[in-house]
Amino acid sequence: MSFVEYREPIQDGDTAIVFLGHDSMFPVTIKQGGQTQTKYGVIRHSTDLIGKKYGSKVTCSKGGWVYILYPTPELWTMNLPHRTQILYSTDISMITMMLELKPGSVVCESGTGSGSLSHAIIRTVAPTGHLYTVEFHQQRAEKAIEEFQQHKVDHLVRVKNQDVCKTGFGVSHIADAVFLDIPSPWEAIGHAKDALKIEGGRVCSFSPCIEQVQRTCLALTEHGFTEINTLEILLRVYDVRGINLPVPDFGTPAEEKSSDADKSKQLPASQPGTAHFKSGVSPREMVGHTGYLTFATKSLF
Amino acid sequence: MSFVEYREPIQDGDTAIVFLGHDSMFPVTIKQGGQTQTKYGVIRHSTDLIGKKYGSKVTCSKGGWVYILYPTPELWTMNLPHRTQILYSTDISMITMMLELKPGSVVCESGTGSGSLSHAIIRTVAPTGHLYTVEFHQQRAEKAIEEFQQHKVDHLVRVKNQDVCKTGFGVSHIADAVFLDIPSPWEAIGHAKDALKIEGGRVCSFSPCIEQVQRTCLALTEHGFTEINTLEILLRVYDVRGINLPVPDFGTPAEEKSSDADKSKQLPASQPGTAHFKSGVSPREMVGHTGYLTFATKSLF
Amino acid sequence: MWLWQSYNVCIFSSRKVIFEKQWIYLDNAIGKHYGTTFEITAGGNLQTKKNEIAAAEPKEAGADNRNIVDDGKSQKLTRDDIEALKEKGIKGQEIVQQLIENSTTFRDKTEFAQEKYIKKKKKKYEANISIVKPSTRILAMMYYAREPGKICQLRYDTLAQMLTLGNIHAGSQVIVMETCAGLLLGSVMERMGGYGSVIQMYPGTGPVRAATDCFGFPKSFYKTLYEFPLSKVESLISGTFSAHRSVHAEQDSVQGDEESNGSNAEKQEPAQDIEEDSSPATEAESTVNSNQPENQEEMEVTGEENNEKGQNLEKKQIAMEKKRKQDERRKREAEAAVLLQNKNADGHPLIHPMCLVFQPLLECYTKLRERGGVINLKLSETWLRNYQVLPDRSHPKLVMSGGGGYLLYGITVARETAKPNIRCPEKTEEPAPKKLKVAELES
Amino acid sequence: MWLWQSYNVCIFSSRKVIFEKQWIYLDNAIGKHYGTTFEITAGGNLQTKKNEIAAAEPKEAGADNRNIVDDGKSQKLTRDDIEALKEKGIKGQEIVQQLIENSTTFRDKTEFAQEKYIKKKKKKYEANISIVKPSTRILAMMYYAREPGKICQLRYDTLAQMLTLGNIHAGSQVIVMETCAGLLLGSVMERMGGYGSVIQMYPGTGPVRAATDCFGFPKSFYKTLYEFPLSKVESLISGTFSAHRSVHAEQDSVQGDEESNGSNAEKQEPAQDIEEDSSPATEAESTVNSNQPENQEEMEVTGEENNEKGQNLEKKQIAMEKKRKQDERRKREAEAAVLLQNKNADGHPLIHPMCLVFQPLLECYTKLRERGGVINLKLSETWLRNYQVLPDRSHPKLVMSGGGGYLLYGITVARETAKPNIRCPEKTEEPAPKKLKVAELES
């Protein structure tokens, strides 16, 4: 298993996702002789998992069953241990496209946080690109290094524990793209510019508050960035379900009662029916805001 | 005709709406002997309109026809002569409910602008309420007075030509609700508070920019307003139309060709069909922002 | 009268209510102004509270949260400590202050995080309520927040649009058909201020007005309110309607036959006929899996009077009262029938069903287009975003409503061949006017 | 190479292009770096321009617009004056400056109104272009802005999600079936960087790659790209597929029969079978009234080479070349068939059709649920808001996209009774696993 390369079958040391049903899942590290508790009973790694294919159905000790899934960055985002607020796949997809990431891209990121975006970046820039990620919180930086090793992507990433606003990314003129998710991104724009390739590149800053965006846009303009563009993306997931609507009963004109059976309306009195159909129902609540994404281009001139 | 009371039939002096089809309409002042040009030909007021019912179909001189509609504040909003940016019915509906307007409410408004909101307020507070509206632009104030007379609602409204930020609404402690749509609403919050009844009331400020909202919220807090709440409402109108989707042709396994006619799939080779259905298609473009609506309550304490 | 805690409001009509699992005694509130804020004491009594603006603002804050190690040990006060404070009758505000002082990480948190912490704790330990006057705004927001299922998830901005687009105002003649616990009916009545007339069309055994009665309307408003059963619409149209047949006898037969329900999607059709012919109508269609349990609670039309009179009557008096009400009811029904028959179908009015799901309105749209007599039909949805506006911390609220229902609205006009008469035969489906079809295609 | 004017981009491959009704000569651009900005001179030549930051900022502004009387006479320059300036070769920037100076009301306008005025005039009179490198971002935004019909209104954020949710990366094995002019295919290829393999399934006579070819991929990328006709899917599944039957003979018969199209909604079913059995698949379904006119232009698979070689060949050579390509094509088709047959249906991959309208995906969802083998199915939509961020004038953009398409996605897993083999009989509609149904109901 590696987050950047699909490998069969399930092996000792892999990180896999145990899927219990409808958004309920968790990650597990496969260990020879290890076992995992689920609400459906125990899963024994050696007999139930190792050697099986990803996507297999595994019956637990109590008779219930689960699916074992290959870990993608998106599944990881849904299941990773939170050390900070994390970026979700809707924002990540936009960041990836708008920063023009692809195999071979060199990317600088700060902060690493819980590594949600980092995993997605590494997946996209592999096998020839690289991620330089900076995290000012020491404990988090160490945990991230550990996770990257566990997920077999450590050759594609370098984690540094420092303050990007003070000391930058520790690299100069090598990045195609820079991503900032820090409280005061405007203080890091100079460092971002320095990290980008001489011939130019793209930068993105994620901020929850509009005031942060305003200061960042000002700093981007002052540093000569162009194509400055702020956007927001929201996800609405529809709940697909069967709907039953009662059909109103309008009664029957008195004189026609039980006389004219095959009338055009065919609505016998006191027999209200029900209309059935499938529908996508909008959720009562959804995520209303994660943050503003500000993108800009550094040109050669 | 009056904007606050439904009256039949069409009379000399009425303002009516000529509806040509699909969002295409315009207002007309009915005049004995008058006539109106449309793309379907001329409408003669005396013979074609006066004495008819509102909602009637009127045949024009070239044979085409139009509908004559009773003027509601909402139709007026869609057809009024623009002297400024105007408020549309989506925002107006929210303003009306959140300001708790109803028959008998006393309302202060600034600026009058093109009178789009004014008409809706007057409609809702009639017959026992009153609107005090202030407009700093003289020409606009005069035009508004004229329109209110024409629409037979002048007994429900008083228009003043002054600067609300400097001299307020010219009334004290009589309003149930205050509405502000001016460039610097924060300068008028004190006057708004003064206009509201001693026992309290509601205030609303409409501003396109978030910076205006920030200053206004600050001013509202400083003046002791509570329940300060900023929101935004957007309208998405679906385009209902028939959709044709081509059904893909997957061919037929060679040996089964023209042998098994009533197969479960019934998809003969090289006969791609089409699926028809009605659907509501989201528009390619919609209004993305009109303004932020900030509401607040003045309490007795 | 109303209890208010953020948007969490609930009704009471006695001096003792249960709210958020706590009994509250309201004696101290009587005689106070609407809008007064109270703190709930340990015993459940109310104590007047001065509105404090921005109390307990954090003073010291870390620049960021890099030094915070989350080990679950940052709060030195134990659960037992807090319970002890509560039992001593210490007020919520003081408990929150003590929590802050006993947090080892509070000072290192960013201002933003401090704010969040205080807000969370305040909500948990401080029990403030305000008593406010009921209104469409208050009730619509309350129902949407606390009991959305009862009002078919009709969001308050959607309701606001129905009232405005429907041109509801003093003097209107409105038909309301809804399954929103009477919220829509109440909001229509508020906008009419006792002028004009409202006919509530109801399915089942009686009109539902649980929310309507919460508006606290004066008695006079109810004189303009009529009700008419959906099940008599056909007979009204065919001219065979008689108000003198026993209401209850009919109801029994309805309930007896309910087991044998057929399910035929085609049956929805007549619903639209009604809307059209009885315009101006404001209609909220029943939605998701609504089996209309409210319809089973037989609503009292004259419930207002009931509160005052009904207490000490003896059995006979009750029976007489019942008879009187039944007669009253039949009389009102007959009046409603007359109003319905005199209604002018054409002109300015708008119709707009609201539905939480899309498809039924799509069908409605298509049927109305085919039938004609309605122009400028629109099928729409609104998005509502609430904002947090605070110095340096402004952004849209983190949670928003995913949907507030779809709306279908238009303007009724004269129909081509049929006369504007409620008794015209609606079974003849007429082709839509040619010109209109062209306009539609152009769009 | 690309022309860039705000989001208005267009392609050129010769030295002379027409853009926004003006001929532009590109000779001066050759040798310049990507990202260079040029001004278009009167003759259509390009002149390098230094990026001016916030040029011509208004200095004097009115506090509000109370004194502005709109009488249409505020501009003293006539239309003829402006034409004269243009003919003299005066640059756009100077014309705008002159317009400002000759406006009697400009100084009385608010700063906000001045800004708007300048922006409008600049757009009208200044002709600046930049030349930028093609990428998914550039192409997706360009197609959405300028030719949304060609890409089924697939909005760029929806495309972004398909790529991310599809876990498209170097080394992936992907099936692409789209009617988006090859934009989706190109973006998938960009993300794969030449590693792995892509099979393009195509309806009609040949794969459409108009947008794909705009990415400017190196030749090596095309070695990982295969194509396979939808019309041979059934024969592939039944095991009777042969790559040696003439492609063109079949096509003729297809076109001959097209007159007698039946219209049967049920026929959509097989589309879903395909998606399922050939996962991992990234599928964009055809949408609104798309008659796929692109399919008629026979796309050249080896079009890249064509540009270099095809110019001076004689007739015989052309014929030989054609034969060679046909052979090549058959060979690739056979290779694609092998890839398809070896594909592992289970495991991690995701499938996600995109559609501009809701209903087909709803049906897709239901069918997939019934069939099983897919978990965590989601039907979603994204809202995209762009912002204007300027000192004291920040707000969402006044115009936004009303919809960018709906997305259906999920994860394929092992199916209960059928083996993970592409040749398993898909006609047996299996009941969905019981547990899953429970989970679904709980939601």
Side-chain angles (χ1 to χ4, degrees), chain A residues 6 23 57 100 232 238, chain D residues 135 348 378 381 387 416:
Chain A
Y6 188 63
D23 276 346
K57 196 170 183 173
E100 305 191 332
E232 204 192 353
Y238 291 88
Chain D
S135 68
H348 66 307
K378 306 266 184 200
E381 177 191 19
Y387 283 81
E416 272 289 71

Side-chain angles (χ1 to χ4, degrees), chain D residues 142-156:
Chain D
M142 181 205 88
Y143 267 99
Y144 189 74
R146 293 186 74 91
E147 305 188 285
K150 286 208 177 149
I151 55 164
C152 303
Q153 293 192 34
L154 169 66
R155 200 172 56 201
Y156 44 98

Side-chain angles (χ1 to χ4, degrees), chain D residues 407-427:
Chain D
L407 219 50
L408 177 65
Y409 51 97
I411 305 168
T412 52
V413 291
R415 275 175 73 190
E416 272 289 71
T417 52
K419 274 183 197 165
N421 187 322
I422 197 163
R423 261 162 300 187
C424 74
E426 338 69 306
K427 280 152 210 167

Side-chain angles (χ1 to χ4, degrees), chain A residues 40-291:
Chain A
Y40 302 125
V42 168
I43 305 170
R44 282 178 189 79
H45 295 196
S46 308
T47 53
D48 296 337
L49 301 179
I50 293 173
K52 291 261 175 70
K53 280 190 169 191
Y54 279 103
S56 296
K57 196 170 183 173
V58 174
T59 305
C60 307
S61 63
K62 288 185 195 161
W65 45 263
V66 299
Y67 284 109
I68 303 298
L69 305 179
Y70 199 92
T72 64
E74 285 60 52
L75 283 175
W76 183 245
T77 287
M78 292 165 80
N79 292 288
L80 56 79
H82 282 221
R83 302 184 282 269
T84 53
Q85 286 271 45
I86 67 160
L87 279 162
Y88 290 94
S89 296
T90 312
D91 284 316
I92 288 173
S93 65
M94 207 60 188
I95 292 164
T96 310
M97 173 189 273
M98 298 296 274
L99 287 181
E100 305 191 332
L101 304 190
K102 56 189 179 187
S105 298
V106 175
V107 186
C108 290
E109 177 200 33
S110 184
T112 316
S114 306
S116 173
L117 175 64
S118 314
H119 278 84
I121 292 175
I122 294 167
R123 176 261 321 270
T124 301
V125 305
T128 47
H130 206 83
L131 172 65
Y132 297 88
T133 183
V134 170
E135 168 60 53
F136 70 6
H137 190 293
Q138 200 195 329
Q139 204 188 18
R140 278 183 220 144
E142 285 162 6
K143 197 78 191 89
I145 291 171
E146 213 176 283
E147 275 174 5
F148 293 139
Q149 283 167 347
Q150 161 70 21
H151 299 156
K152 303 193 179 73
V153 295
D154 48 313
H155 58 294
L156 294 163
V157 54
R158 190 211 62 188
V159 186
K160 267 204 178 183
N161 174 217
Q162 63 187 37
D163 184 345
V164 74
C165 296
K166 291 196 182 117
T167 43
F169 293 97
V171 288
S172 258
H173 304 315
I174 63 161
D176 297 290
V178 172
F179 177 79
L180 296 172
D181 177 7
I182 53 175
S184 43
W186 57 92
E187 292 177 8
I189 298 300
H191 293 296
K193 191 179 177 185
D194 186 56
L196 286 169
K197 284 181 177 161
I198 296 281
E199 63 265 37
R202 296 272 294 167
V203 65
C204 174
S205 170
F206 174 91
S207 296
C209 303
I210 193 71
E211 293 85 357
Q212 295 169 300
V213 174
Q214 289 170 321
R215 288 189 196 112
T216 306
C217 285
L218 215 61
L220 285 166
T221 308
E222 282 167 4
H223 281 90
F225 282 85
T226 55
E227 278 191 88
I228 302 168
N229 180 25
T230 300
L231 59 85
E232 204 192 353
I233 182 168
L234 287 176
L235 180 73
R236 172 153 82 163
V237 180
Y238 291 88
D239 184 13
V240 179
R241 59 180 185 212
I243 307 282
N244 288 320
L245 283 188
V247 173
D249 166 26
F250 296 105
T252 320
E255 80 272 39
E256 297 180 22
K257 249 182 182 165
S258 65
S259 67
D260 205 350
D262 59 352
K263 272 187 61 207
S264 66
K265 286 238 171 103
Q266 288 179 315
L267 246 192
S270 53
Q271 278 208 14
T274 307
H276 301 275
F277 56 95
K278 273 261 176 187
S279 186
V281 182
S282 40
R284 219 178 87 67
E285 284 192 343
M286 57 180 261
V287 173
H289 181 67
T290 55

Side-chain angles (χ1 to χ4, degrees), chain C residues 173-357:
Chain C
Q173 293 196 299
V174 184
I175 296 174
V176 176
M177 157 67 213
E178 55 137 288
T179 52
C180 301
L183 177 65
L184 177 59
L185 175 66
S187 63
V188 166
M189 287 170 70
E190 184 186 271
R191 285 284 172 94
M192 293 177 57
Y195 305 90
S197 65
V198 190
I199 304 170
Q200 183 182 13
M201 308 287 282
Y202 61 90
T205 55
V208 178
R209 293 178 185 163
T212 318
D213 292 337
C214 293
F215 281 82
F217 291 132
K219 258 188 253 180
S220 62
F221 277 38
Y222 285 92
K223 290 194 181 127
T224 63
L225 172 60
Y226 301 84
E227 55 276 338
F228 193 82
L230 268 191
S231 58
K232 291 185 185 166
V233 164
E234 281 287 349
S235 65
L236 184 70
I237 289 168
S238 67
T240 59
F241 170 76
S242 150
H244 299 288
R245 279 191 288 140
S246 163
V247 178
H248 285 276
E250 275 212 338
Q251 280 164 9
D252 290 342
S253 77
V254 169
Q255 283 168 346
D257 281 355
E258 257 174 1
E259 302 297 318
S260 56
N261 283 352
S263 62
N264 183 352
E266 285 291 288
K267 286 180 186 170
Q268 277 215 304
E269 215 181 305
Q272 289 138 30
D273 290 337
I274 277 306
E275 289 154 29
E276 295 157 27
D277 284 309
S278 49
S279 303
T282 305
E283 159 135 1
E285 291 214 336
S286 169
T287 57
V288 185
N289 292 324
S290 113
N291 288 318
Q292 305 169 336
E294 300 94 336
N295 294 348
Q296 307 313 317
E297 342 163 341
E298 179 91 14
M299 296 294 300
E300 283 296 329
V301 186
T302 48
E304 280 268 313
E305 298 164 44
N306 208 21
N307 282 339
E308 292 158 33
K309 293 180 190 172
Q311 307 291 358
N312 298 314
L313 291 174
E314 290 179 25
K315 270 202 171 176
K316 201 181 161 185
Q317 277 176 303
I318 294 172
M320 271 177 64
E321 179 69 0
K322 206 173 167 184
K323 174 80 172 62
R324 195 189 64 73
K325 278 185 197 157
Q326 221 170 60
D327 289 346
E328 170 74 8
R329 189 173 191 156
R330 283 195 199 126
K331 199 177 135 229
R332 302 283 290 175
E333 196 174 291
E335 283 166 20
V338 171
L339 279 170
L340 282 170
Q341 278 165 326
N342 291 340
K343 227 165 232 323
N344 186 342
D346 304 334
H348 66 306
L350 297 113
I351 52 166
H352 35 95
M354 179 301 255
C355 194
L356 188 63
V357 283

Side-chain angles (χ1 to χ4, degrees), chain D residues 150-430:
Chain D
K150 286 208 177 149
I151 55 164
C152 303
Q153 293 192 34
L154 169 66
R155 200 172 56 201
Y156 44 98
D157 57 318
T158 311
L159 174 60
Q161 278 199 91
M162 294 173 82
L163 297 169
T164 290
L165 296 172
N167 193 25
I168 308 298
H169 61 98
S172 297
Q173 294 197 300
V174 184
I175 296 174
V176 176
M177 157 66 213
E178 55 136 289
T179 53
C180 301
L183 176 65
L184 177 59
L185 176 66
S187 63
V188 166
M189 287 170 71
E190 184 187 271
R191 285 285 171 94
M192 291 174 58
Y195 305 90
S197 66
V198 190
I199 304 171
Q200 183 181 15
M201 309 287 282
Y202 62 89
T205 55
V208 178
R209 291 175 187 165
T212 319
D213 292 336
C214 294
F215 281 82
F217 291 132
K219 256 188 256 179
S220 62
F221 277 39
Y222 286 90
K223 291 196 181 127
T224 64
L225 172 62
Y226 301 84
E227 55 278 338
F228 192 82
L230 266 191
S231 58
K232 291 187 184 166
V233 164
E234 282 285 351
S235 65
L236 185 70
I237 289 167
S238 67
T240 58
F241 170 75
S242 151
H244 299 291
R245 280 191 288 140
S246 163
V247 177
H248 285 275
E250 277 212 337
Q251 280 162 9
D252 291 343
S253 77
V254 169
Q255 284 169 343
D257 281 354
E258 256 174 2
E259 303 296 317
S260 58
N261 281 351
S263 61
N264 184 351
E266 286 290 287
K267 286 180 186 170
Q268 278 215 303
E269 214 182 306
Q272 289 136 29
D273 290 339
I274 278 303
E275 289 154 31
E276 295 157 28
D277 285 309
S278 50
S279 303
T282 306
E283 161 134 1
E285 290 214 338
S286 170
T287 57
V288 185
N289 293 324
S290 115
N291 288 316
Q292 305 169 338
E294 300 95 335
N295 294 347
Q296 308 312 317
E297 341 160 343
E298 178 93 10
M299 294 297 298
E300 284 295 329
V301 187
T302 49
E304 280 269 311
E305 297 163 45
N306 210 23
N307 283 340
E308 294 158 30
K309 292 181 191 169
Q311 306 292 358
N312 298 315
L313 291 172
E314 290 178 24
K315 270 204 171 175
K316 202 182 160 187
Q317 276 176 306
I318 292 170
M320 271 177 65
E321 180 69 2
K322 205 173 167 186
K323 173 79 170 67
R324 196 190 62 73
K325 278 187 197 157
Q326 221 171 60
D327 289 346
E328 171 74 10
R329 187 173 190 157
R330 285 196 199 125
K331 200 179 135 226
R332 301 283 290 174
E333 195 173 294
E335 285 167 16
V338 171
L339 278 171
L340 281 169
Q341 279 166 325
N342 291 340
K343 227 165 230 324
N344 186 342
D346 305 333
H348 66 307
L350 297 115
I351 52 167
H352 36 95
M354 178 305 252
C355 193
L356 188 64
V357 282
F358 198 73
Q359 286 97 325
L361 296 189
L362 206 57
E363 260 188 62
C364 239
Y365 181 102
T366 310
K367 286 269 155 65
L368 282 172
R369 262 274 136 91
E370 281 167 8
R371 181 189 172 275
V374 186
I375 55 170
N376 235 33
L377 263 185
K378 306 266 184 200
L379 181 46
S380 73
E381 177 191 19
T382 46
W383 294 342
L384 183 67
R385 290 195 95 178
N386 284 289
Y387 283 81
Q388 166 179 304
V389 181
L390 287 172
D392 282 342
R393 279 159 295 164
S394 302
H395 57 71
K397 291 272 169 78
L398 303 184
V399 174
M400 77 180 275
S401 160
Y406 299 92
L407 219 50
L408 177 65
Y409 51 97
I411 305 168
T412 52
V413 291
R415 275 175 73 190
E416 272 289 71
T417 52
K419 274 183 197 165
N421 187 322
I422 197 163
R423 261 162 300 187
C424 74
E426 338 69 306
K427 280 152 210 167
T428 58
E429 289 228 336
E430 290 155 46

